[in-house]
Amino acid sequence: MAEPTLIQIFGTGSTRLASGATTASAGLFIPDSALITAGLATPTTATAEGHLVAIVMNAESYLTQTNFDANIDQSLIIANGFSSFTTRGTDNTPYRQDQKTISLAKIDTGSTINPGDY
């Protein structure tokens, strides 16, 4: 099988832009529609953390254990961790903490994480 595509990981409409392609520099473009599909209701006013959560949720829909087991070229798995509760601040405001586990698999050639290996 092939490496997972940008669309499979980041959502419909995602593309890699070349330098000068209606932008000042090269980069990854993830359209608001892909973020909205992941549950980010208002990308134009959302926080950076909200954007990251939407990206992780989009990627999680494809980077599953099942797809990992079926595709030798897939190197990442995103799965639910354990939810917990904690308190924060001087008023001990209750917070829910939800975990997402990202597992990175590569041929064992060293002990550091290099994004280019995945």
Side-chain angles (χ1 to χ4, degrees), residues 92-112:
N92 290 323
T93 304
Y95 278 75
R96 176 189 173 108
Q97 289 183 312
D98 295 307
Q99 296 179 353
K100 295 291 181 189
T101 301
I102 302 175
S103 300
L104 299 86
K106 69 174 185 172
I107 295 172
D108 189 14
T109 58
S111 61
T112 60

PDB file of all heavy atoms in Angstrom, residues 92-112:
ATOM      1  N   ASN A  92      -9.765  26.102  42.196  1.00  0.00           N
ATOM      2  CA  ASN A  92      -9.881  24.660  41.943  1.00  0.00           C
ATOM      3  C   ASN A  92     -11.018  24.331  40.980  1.00  0.00           C
ATOM      4  O   ASN A  92     -11.840  23.454  41.236  1.00  0.00           O
ATOM      5  CB  ASN A  92     -10.042  23.888  43.262  1.00  0.00           C
ATOM      6  CG  ASN A  92      -8.766  23.897  44.069  1.00  0.00           C
ATOM      7  OD1 ASN A  92      -7.679  23.829  43.504  1.00  0.00           O
ATOM      8  ND2 ASN A  92      -8.885  23.993  45.378  1.00  0.00           N
ATOM      9  N   THR A  93     -11.041  25.041  39.868  1.00  0.00           N
ATOM     10  CA  THR A  93     -12.043  24.811  38.835  1.00  0.00           C
ATOM     11  C   THR A  93     -11.848  23.411  38.253  1.00  0.00           C
ATOM     12  O   THR A  93     -10.735  23.046  37.877  1.00  0.00           O
ATOM     13  CB  THR A  93     -11.907  25.868  37.723  1.00  0.00           C
ATOM     14  OG1 THR A  93     -11.994  27.161  38.314  1.00  0.00           O
ATOM     15  CG2 THR A  93     -12.971  25.703  36.657  1.00  0.00           C
ATOM     16  N   PRO A  94     -12.941  22.614  38.180  1.00  0.00           N
ATOM     17  CA  PRO A  94     -12.787  21.254  37.641  1.00  0.00           C
ATOM     18  C   PRO A  94     -12.576  21.260  36.116  1.00  0.00           C
ATOM     19  O   PRO A  94     -13.250  21.988  35.397  1.00  0.00           O
ATOM     20  CB  PRO A  94     -14.095  20.568  38.017  1.00  0.00           C
ATOM     21  CG  PRO A  94     -15.075  21.659  38.256  1.00  0.00           C
ATOM     22  CD  PRO A  94     -14.294  22.878  38.663  1.00  0.00           C
ATOM     23  N   TYR A  95     -11.648  20.448  35.671  1.00  0.00           N
ATOM     24  CA  TYR A  95     -11.329  20.291  34.254  1.00  0.00           C
ATOM     25  C   TYR A  95     -11.378  18.816  33.891  1.00  0.00           C
ATOM     26  O   TYR A  95     -10.969  17.960  34.678  1.00  0.00           O
ATOM     27  CB  TYR A  95      -9.911  20.787  33.945  1.00  0.00           C
ATOM     28  CG  TYR A  95      -9.786  22.274  33.746  1.00  0.00           C
ATOM     29  CD1 TYR A  95      -9.829  23.145  34.825  1.00  0.00           C
ATOM     30  CD2 TYR A  95      -9.606  22.800  32.477  1.00  0.00           C
ATOM     31  CE1 TYR A  95      -9.699  24.507  34.649  1.00  0.00           C
ATOM     32  CE2 TYR A  95      -9.474  24.162  32.287  1.00  0.00           C
ATOM     33  CZ  TYR A  95      -9.522  25.009  33.380  1.00  0.00           C
ATOM     34  OH  TYR A  95      -9.391  26.355  33.192  1.00  0.00           O
ATOM     35  N   ARG A  96     -11.832  18.534  32.688  1.00  0.00           N
ATOM     36  CA  ARG A  96     -11.756  17.187  32.128  1.00  0.00           C
ATOM     37  C   ARG A  96     -10.519  17.158  31.234  1.00  0.00           C
ATOM     38  O   ARG A  96     -10.289  18.076  30.440  1.00  0.00           O
ATOM     39  CB  ARG A  96     -13.008  16.899  31.302  1.00  0.00           C
ATOM     40  CG  ARG A  96     -12.970  15.569  30.596  1.00  0.00           C
ATOM     41  CD  ARG A  96     -14.141  15.430  29.619  1.00  0.00           C
ATOM     42  NE  ARG A  96     -13.976  14.239  28.847  1.00  0.00           N
ATOM     43  CZ  ARG A  96     -14.717  13.141  29.011  1.00  0.00           C
ATOM     44  NH1 ARG A  96     -15.691  13.121  29.893  1.00  0.00           N
ATOM     45  NH2 ARG A  96     -14.505  12.087  28.262  1.00  0.00           N
ATOM     46  N   GLN A  97      -9.725  16.117  31.341  1.00  0.00           N
ATOM     47  CA  GLN A  97      -8.555  15.936  30.492  1.00  0.00           C
ATOM     48  C   GLN A  97      -8.776  14.713  29.615  1.00  0.00           C
ATOM     49  O   GLN A  97      -8.957  13.608  30.126  1.00  0.00           O
ATOM     50  CB  GLN A  97      -7.290  15.722  31.326  1.00  0.00           C
ATOM     51  CG  GLN A  97      -6.826  16.957  32.048  1.00  0.00           C
ATOM     52  CD  GLN A  97      -5.528  16.710  32.792  1.00  0.00           C
ATOM     53  OE1 GLN A  97      -5.388  15.726  33.499  1.00  0.00           O
ATOM     54  NE2 GLN A  97      -4.582  17.607  32.617  1.00  0.00           N
ATOM     55  N   ASP A  98      -8.787  14.933  28.294  1.00  0.00           N
ATOM     56  CA  ASP A  98      -8.916  13.834  27.336  1.00  0.00           C
ATOM     57  C   ASP A  98      -7.564  13.616  26.683  1.00  0.00           C
ATOM     58  O   ASP A  98      -6.899  14.566  26.270  1.00  0.00           O
ATOM     59  CB  ASP A  98      -9.965  14.166  26.274  1.00  0.00           C
ATOM     60  CG  ASP A  98     -11.353  14.296  26.869  1.00  0.00           C
ATOM     61  OD1 ASP A  98     -11.780  13.356  27.559  1.00  0.00           O
ATOM     62  OD2 ASP A  98     -11.995  15.342  26.662  1.00  0.00           O
ATOM     63  N   GLN A  99      -7.160  12.369  26.557  1.00  0.00           N
ATOM     64  CA  GLN A  99      -5.871  12.033  25.974  1.00  0.00           C
ATOM     65  C   GLN A  99      -6.028  11.484  24.562  1.00  0.00           C
ATOM     66  O   GLN A  99      -6.959  10.732  24.285  1.00  0.00           O
ATOM     67  CB  GLN A  99      -5.153  10.977  26.815  1.00  0.00           C
ATOM     68  CG  GLN A  99      -4.790  11.424  28.189  1.00  0.00           C
ATOM     69  CD  GLN A  99      -4.100  10.301  28.967  1.00  0.00           C
ATOM     70  OE1 GLN A  99      -4.008   9.166  28.518  1.00  0.00           O
ATOM     71  NE2 GLN A  99      -3.615  10.629  30.138  1.00  0.00           N
ATOM     72  N   LYS A 100      -5.104  11.850  23.704  1.00  0.00           N
ATOM     73  CA  LYS A 100      -4.921  11.240  22.397  1.00  0.00           C
ATOM     74  C   LYS A 100      -3.491  10.721  22.370  1.00  0.00           C
ATOM     75  O   LYS A 100      -2.550  11.461  22.665  1.00  0.00           O
ATOM     76  CB  LYS A 100      -5.123  12.246  21.254  1.00  0.00           C
ATOM     77  CG  LYS A 100      -6.524  12.786  21.142  1.00  0.00           C
ATOM     78  CD  LYS A 100      -7.468  11.717  20.688  1.00  0.00           C
ATOM     79  CE  LYS A 100      -8.880  12.266  20.562  1.00  0.00           C
ATOM     80  NZ  LYS A 100      -9.829  11.206  20.325  1.00  0.00           N
ATOM     81  N   THR A 101      -3.323   9.471  22.050  1.00  0.00           N
ATOM     82  CA  THR A 101      -2.001   8.870  21.994  1.00  0.00           C
ATOM     83  C   THR A 101      -1.556   8.798  20.543  1.00  0.00           C
ATOM     84  O   THR A 101      -2.276   8.272  19.690  1.00  0.00           O
ATOM     85  CB  THR A 101      -2.037   7.442  22.584  1.00  0.00           C
ATOM     86  OG1 THR A 101      -2.498   7.537  23.930  1.00  0.00           O
ATOM     87  CG2 THR A 101      -0.671   6.798  22.553  1.00  0.00           C
ATOM     88  N   ILE A 102      -0.388   9.348  20.264  1.00  0.00           N
ATOM     89  CA  ILE A 102       0.197   9.272  18.926  1.00  0.00           C
ATOM     90  C   ILE A 102       1.400   8.354  19.007  1.00  0.00           C
ATOM     91  O   ILE A 102       2.369   8.640  19.714  1.00  0.00           O
ATOM     92  CB  ILE A 102       0.608  10.669  18.402  1.00  0.00           C
ATOM     93  CG1 ILE A 102      -0.599  11.600  18.367  1.00  0.00           C
ATOM     94  CG2 ILE A 102       1.255  10.546  17.018  1.00  0.00           C
ATOM     95  CD1 ILE A 102      -0.279  13.030  17.977  1.00  0.00           C
ATOM     96  N   SER A 103       1.320   7.227  18.304  1.00  0.00           N
ATOM     97  CA  SER A 103       2.419   6.263  18.274  1.00  0.00           C
ATOM     98  C   SER A 103       3.142   6.386  16.951  1.00  0.00           C
ATOM     99  O   SER A 103       2.512   6.434  15.891  1.00  0.00           O
ATOM    100  CB  SER A 103       1.888   4.837  18.439  1.00  0.00           C
ATOM    101  OG  SER A 103       1.216   4.701  19.671  1.00  0.00           O
ATOM    102  N   LEU A 104       4.462   6.457  17.011  1.00  0.00           N
ATOM    103  CA  LEU A 104       5.302   6.615  15.833  1.00  0.00           C
ATOM    104  C   LEU A 104       6.123   5.346  15.639  1.00  0.00           C
ATOM    105  O   LEU A 104       6.835   4.932  16.561  1.00  0.00           O
ATOM    106  CB  LEU A 104       6.248   7.807  16.005  1.00  0.00           C
ATOM    107  CG  LEU A 104       5.582   9.165  16.184  1.00  0.00           C
ATOM    108  CD1 LEU A 104       5.230   9.419  17.623  1.00  0.00           C
ATOM    109  CD2 LEU A 104       6.478  10.254  15.680  1.00  0.00           C
ATOM    110  N   ALA A 105       6.023   4.713  14.481  1.00  0.00           N
ATOM    111  CA  ALA A 105       6.732   3.466  14.207  1.00  0.00           C
ATOM    112  C   ALA A 105       7.688   3.657  13.038  1.00  0.00           C
ATOM    113  O   ALA A 105       7.317   4.229  12.010  1.00  0.00           O
ATOM    114  CB  ALA A 105       5.741   2.354  13.882  1.00  0.00           C
ATOM    115  N   LYS A 106       8.931   3.216  13.226  1.00  0.00           N
ATOM    116  CA  LYS A 106       9.914   3.266  12.143  1.00  0.00           C
ATOM    117  C   LYS A 106      10.910   2.133  12.351  1.00  0.00           C
ATOM    118  O   LYS A 106      11.017   1.579  13.448  1.00  0.00           O
ATOM    119  CB  LYS A 106      10.623   4.616  12.093  1.00  0.00           C
ATOM    120  CG  LYS A 106      11.550   4.885  13.262  1.00  0.00           C
ATOM    121  CD  LYS A 106      12.323   6.177  13.076  1.00  0.00           C
ATOM    122  CE  LYS A 106      13.335   6.357  14.197  1.00  0.00           C
ATOM    123  NZ  LYS A 106      14.203   7.482  13.950  1.00  0.00           N
ATOM    124  N   ILE A 107      11.642   1.824  11.320  1.00  0.00           N
ATOM    125  CA  ILE A 107      12.704   0.833  11.433  1.00  0.00           C
ATOM    126  C   ILE A 107      13.699   1.352  12.467  1.00  0.00           C
ATOM    127  O   ILE A 107      14.048   2.534  12.473  1.00  0.00           O
ATOM    128  CB  ILE A 107      13.373   0.586  10.071  1.00  0.00           C
ATOM    129  CG1 ILE A 107      12.351  -0.041   9.112  1.00  0.00           C
ATOM    130  CG2 ILE A 107      14.606  -0.290  10.213  1.00  0.00           C
ATOM    131  CD1 ILE A 107      12.833  -0.162   7.693  1.00  0.00           C
ATOM    132  N   ASP A 108      14.146   0.499  13.348  1.00  0.00           N
ATOM    133  CA  ASP A 108      14.995   0.896  14.463  1.00  0.00           C
ATOM    134  C   ASP A 108      16.405   1.235  13.991  1.00  0.00           C
ATOM    135  O   ASP A 108      17.252   0.358  13.830  1.00  0.00           O
ATOM    136  CB  ASP A 108      15.036  -0.223  15.507  1.00  0.00           C
ATOM    137  CG  ASP A 108      15.730   0.213  16.783  1.00  0.00           C
ATOM    138  OD1 ASP A 108      15.944   1.431  16.959  1.00  0.00           O
ATOM    139  OD2 ASP A 108      16.049  -0.656  17.596  1.00  0.00           O
ATOM    140  N   THR A 109      16.635   2.555  13.771  1.00  0.00           N
ATOM    141  CA  THR A 109      17.956   3.008  13.338  1.00  0.00           C
ATOM    142  C   THR A 109      18.553   4.026  14.298  1.00  0.00           C
ATOM    143  O   THR A 109      19.629   4.537  14.065  1.00  0.00           O
ATOM    144  CB  THR A 109      17.876   3.654  11.942  1.00  0.00           C
ATOM    145  OG1 THR A 109      16.943   4.739  12.006  1.00  0.00           O
ATOM    146  CG2 THR A 109      17.444   2.656  10.896  1.00  0.00           C
ATOM    147  N   GLY A 110      17.845   4.345  15.358  1.00  0.00           N
ATOM    148  CA  GLY A 110      18.356   5.323  16.312  1.00  0.00           C
ATOM    149  C   GLY A 110      17.328   5.625  17.367  1.00  0.00           C
ATOM    150  O   GLY A 110      16.188   5.134  17.323  1.00  0.00           O
ATOM    151  N   SER A 111      17.714   6.459  18.334  1.00  0.00           N
ATOM    152  CA  SER A 111      16.830   6.709  19.465  1.00  0.00           C
ATOM    153  C   SER A 111      16.171   8.081  19.424  1.00  0.00           C
ATOM    154  O   SER A 111      15.519   8.468  20.383  1.00  0.00           O
ATOM    155  CB  SER A 111      17.632   6.563  20.764  1.00  0.00           C
ATOM    156  OG  SER A 111      18.686   7.510  20.780  1.00  0.00           O
ATOM    157  N   THR A 112      16.321   8.820  18.350  1.00  0.00           N
ATOM    158  CA  THR A 112      15.705  10.141  18.272  1.00  0.00           C
ATOM    159  C   THR A 112      14.543  10.142  17.288  1.00  0.00           C
ATOM    160  O   THR A 112      14.492   9.305  16.377  1.00  0.00           O
ATOM    161  CB  THR A 112      16.730  11.210  17.842  1.00  0.00           C
ATOM    162  OG1 THR A 112      17.237  10.861  16.550  1.00  0.00           O
ATOM    163  CG2 THR A 112      17.885  11.304  18.830  1.00  0.00           C
TER     164      THR A 112
END
